[in-house]
Amino acid sequence: MPASDLEATMKLIIAGATSLLGTEIVRQRLQIHEITQVISLALQPVQIDKSIDTSKLKNVVIRDYSEYPDDVKSELAGADACIWTVAVMPLRTSKVELKRVCQDYTKLGFEAICEAGPARPFRFLYLSAEGIPRDPTNMPVIMADYHIMRCNTELMVLKFPTEKERVEVCIARPGVIANSSIWSRALVANLFRIVNLFGRPLPNIQRSQLAAAVLQQVMDGFEKETLSNADLVRIGQRELEFRSLSQPS
Ligand SMILES: NC(=O)c1ccc[n+]([C@@H]2O[C@H](COP(=O)([O-])OP(=O)(O)OC[C@H]3O[C@@H](n4cnc5c(N)ncnc54)[C@H](OP(=O)(O)O)[C@@H]3O)[C@@H](O)[C@H]2O)c1
């Protein structure tokens, strides 16, 4: 199907829509008029600025990401794409919980969407992070267990197209998301900005750029299987520029 046809009827699932990134994706998505349905899949309803029209938004609230009762599956049915943002940082939880949230939930969510019956092709974009090794025997020095677990999760996602017909996948690997409405994250992002002024820049991306980049990729098709931070900045900047030029003056 040409990208324009897909866009015209697109139903998109944003898993983890209450995340820092997920909320921005939902916000931008609701303002793209070609999109017919936005499904927010999360543990609570996503909070969106009151000035934005939310008539295309459906909040699908689940108890956790391992259980998908029939009423939830019926909301997921017919999706054209999913952006998966559910993950947790290593400092916040135990090793077992890390794997459950970052890896097991991804697999169970993907399977539930497939059981619900997605559109074909079905695009699945998984958010990982810059610096995750692609080779699990390549042991990183810092947070080795976490990096290997996320590497194995990427490899698991890359196999999805061999398990289900007409499924396309993409791994997006952003650096630090460099602006935030949450003060602690804004502080970290500003520290990064200062470090970048004096040394070799650490990979980072504006939240609006990242949301625009992943949305463009699920709408128009994946440019490649793995998108680096530099790819995401380039695509996001181009997409935001394009949208500002297309605004009626
Ligand atoms: N933030 C960054 O600087 C950065 C950098 C590189 C890569 N990334 C990647 O980008 C993606 C999105 O990042 P983000 O910062 O937007 O994520 P985030 O705000 O930390 O949110 C992550 C999502 O996972 C859910 N979650 C976390 N722990 C959970 C648990 N124990 N059980 C169930 N759900 C849980 C959260 O649910 P609630 O909303 O209900 O808490 C939320 O929907 C992630 O894959 C992350 O690894 C982020």
Side-chain angles (χ1 to χ4, degrees):
M1 188 190 288
S4 54
D5 291 353
L6 188 61
E7 277 176 40
T9 59
M10 190 168 195
K11 176 173 178 175
L12 172 70
I13 300 168
I14 300 158
T18 47
S19 67
L20 173 69
L21 175 62
T23 312
E24 175 65 11
I25 297 172
V26 174
R27 195 190 66 77
Q28 288 192 15
R29 201 68 173 124
L30 291 172
Q31 295 175 86
I32 299 175
H33 75 275
E34 293 91 343
I35 306 312
T36 46
Q37 261 184 298
V38 182
I39 305 290
S40 153
L41 181 68
L43 306 182
Q44 58 259 320
V46 62
Q47 300 299 320
I48 297 292
D49 194 298
K50 286 196 170 53
S51 61
I52 295 173
D53 174 10
T54 54
S55 54
K56 287 188 288 190
L57 175 67
K58 172 86 192 180
N59 276 298
V60 177
V61 176
I62 47 175
R63 210 167 59 87
D64 77 50
Y65 292 94
S66 60
E67 285 171 36
Y68 297 88
D70 287 345
D71 60 329
V72 170
K73 280 191 192 147
S74 69
E75 299 288 359
L76 305 180
D80 295 283
C82 171
I83 299 175
W84 194 271
T85 73
V86 181
V88 66
M89 280 301 288
L91 301 177
R92 292 201 193 158
T93 189
S94 70
K95 196 171 152 184
V96 174
E97 176 78 351
L98 278 173
K99 179 178 172 295
R100 193 164 67 88
V101 175
C102 296
Q103 191 175 103
D104 301 350
Y105 285 169
T106 310
K107 174 108 178 136
L108 293 167
F110 172 75
E111 282 169 355
I113 296 168
C114 289
E115 280 162 27
R120 303 293 188 200
F122 171 66
R123 296 186 182 134
F124 187 86
L125 186 144
Y126 172 73
L127 260 301
S128 183
E130 180 98 356
I132 300 297
R134 189 42 70 75
D135 175 0
T137 62
N138 184 4
M139 195 64 97
V141 182
I142 304 167
M143 298 189 295
D145 288 347
Y146 176 75
H147 283 103
I148 296 298
M149 181 274 292
R150 293 216 67 173
C151 158
N152 285 324
T153 309
E154 287 191 1
L155 297 174
M156 175 190 85
V157 170
L158 291 172
K159 278 198 201 134
F160 287 167
T162 64
E163 294 162 10
K164 305 276 184 227
E165 270 179 33
R166 299 195 65 205
V167 165
E168 299 168 6
V169 297
C170 177
I171 310 286
R173 295 172 142 207
V176 174
I177 302 176
N179 59 346
S180 173
S181 45
I182 303 166
W183 75 267
S184 56
R185 289 185 172 206
L187 183 69
V188 173
N190 281 322
L191 282 175
F192 269 95
R193 211 167 290 148
I194 293 165
V195 170
N196 287 349
L197 289 176
F198 298 103
R200 188 164 150 258
L202 296 166
N204 61 83
I205 186 165
Q206 299 291 311
R207 184 165 67 142
S208 57
Q209 287 172 346
L210 179 54
V214 293
L215 280 169
Q216 188 276 337
Q217 288 290 295
V218 292
M219 280 165 64
D220 294 347
F222 298 139
E223 187 181 290
K224 46 183 154 166
E225 210 172 55
T226 303
L227 296 167
S228 67
N229 186 69
D231 292 325
L232 294 162
V233 170
R234 169 178 53 78
I235 298 167
Q237 272 173 349
R238 188 185 62 200
E239 180 63 13
L240 290 174
E241 232 172 82
F242 172 76
R243 280 194 222 153
S244 75
L245 290 173
S246 332
Q247 291 278 331
S249 48

